[in-house]
Amino acid sequence: QVQLQESGPGLVKPSGTLSLSCAVSDGSIRTTNWWSWVRQPPGGGLEWIGQISHGGDTDYSPSLKSRVSISIDQSKNQFSLKLNSVTAADTAVYFCARNSGRSIGYWGQGTLVTVSS
Amino acid sequence: QSALTQPASVSGSPGQSITISCTGTSSDVGGYNYVSWYQQHPGKAPKVIIYDVNNRPSGVSNRFSGSKSGNTASLAISGLQAEDEADYYCSSYTSSNTYVFGTGTKVTVL
């Protein structure tokens, strides 16, 4: 089954840009699938950030829409997240995932990103 | 969009049954049969246990079941076991082609 692995800096300065990538283990990134990012602050609940289709169509959480961008690179078997103008409130474990229909069927292990100077 | 409302905690003794509610609006839970439930153990990624209101993925115990009435979805766990102690989150597709999670429920097995 597909495996997903997040990568990127674990520490980002306030007002900077958080950038993460998600490596997809199989070729499913080129087929009919949607790919999501979800985050979870320490001790908090899950928050859906957004999704991208294999063709590059995107949808974003209304609360983050002005600061977030998700892209896909089929040649590299990966998709990416950028969140700009970060504050301490953006400190969280960030999960990449593959949708299964209207649910999230496969999750990465998650990566902690801390926003601090 | 606001997070779906779940009770903060639910507890039960081994062998008992418990139910977790998930309340949204007509723009999410009430408007679509696309409610999912996720189980998350500490330090682990969430795992889908129910999708499309009442469907279980392959390999998920039939002790887990889902239902929906109006703007409220529910997850029932029967024959409660120690391994069921975890956090549970509901999620729903919304009218904006986005998703929203619930506030989360901590299940404690007494």
Side-chain angles (χ1 to χ4, degrees):
Chain A
Q1 67 181 32
V2 64
Q3 294 184 340
L4 301 104
Q5 180 66 58
E6 306 88 352
S7 63
L11 181 65
V12 181
K13 294 186 186 303
S15 78
T17 297
L18 179 158
S19 296
L20 295 173
S21 294
C22 180
V24 180
S25 65
D26 63 8
S28 61
I29 201 163
R30 291 183 287 277
T31 62
T32 308
N33 282 300
W34 284 79
W35 306 86
S36 287
W37 286 97
V38 176
R39 70 180 183 179
Q40 184 172 37
L46 301 173
E47 180 182 15
W48 185 81
I49 298 171
Q51 65 179 359
I52 189 166
S53 73
H54 73 293
D57 295 323
T58 55
D59 298 291
Y60 300 122
S61 167
S63 64
L64 297 170
K65 189 171 185 176
S66 63
R67 299 193 292 129
V68 69
S69 175
I70 298 175
S71 59
I72 194 165
D73 189 336
Q74 294 184 2
S75 67
K76 293 184 178 179
N77 273 3
Q78 69 180 33
F79 61 106
S80 301
L81 169 72
K82 289 189 186 297
L83 182 66
N84 57 36
S85 303
V86 298
T87 69
D90 295 309
T91 293
V93 173
Y94 285 76
F95 296 97
C96 64
R98 193 183 93 177
N99 298 12
S100 296
R102 301 292 189 184
S103 67
I104 297 179
Y106 301 92
W107 297 71
Q109 65 184 22
T111 187
L112 175 63
V113 179
T114 301
V115 178
S116 175
S117 55
Chain B
Q1 63 199 19
S2 300
L4 308 176
T5 301
Q6 298 180 230
S9 63
V10 174
S11 62
S13 298
Q16 286 187 331
S17 296
I18 62 172
T19 300
I20 302 170
S21 61
C22 169
T23 301
T25 69
S26 58
S27 295
D28 38 64
V29 174
Y32 307 91
N33 288 324
Y34 294 134
V35 175
S36 304
W37 289 91
Y38 301 87
Q39 178 192 60
Q40 186 181 33
H41 288 106
K44 301 294 187 182
K47 169 190 171 184
V48 61
I49 56 174
I50 295 289
Y51 66 95
D52 296 351
V53 175
N54 56 12
N55 292 279
R56 280 187 310 276
S58 174
V60 173
S61 172
N62 60 8
R63 297 185 298 103
F64 295 96
S65 61
S67 62
K68 192 187 84 167
S69 178
N71 295 339
T72 297
S74 298
L75 172 71
I77 309 176
S78 62
L80 201 60
Q81 299 179 0
E83 67 204 50
D84 300 331
E85 188 161 291
D87 293 325
Y88 291 81
Y89 295 90
C90 62
S91 175
S92 176
Y93 176 75
T94 81
S95 57
S96 304
N97 199 34
T98 61
Y99 294 85
V100 60
F101 281 99
T103 50
T105 298
K106 181 176 181 61
V107 168
T108 301
V109 181
L110 301 171

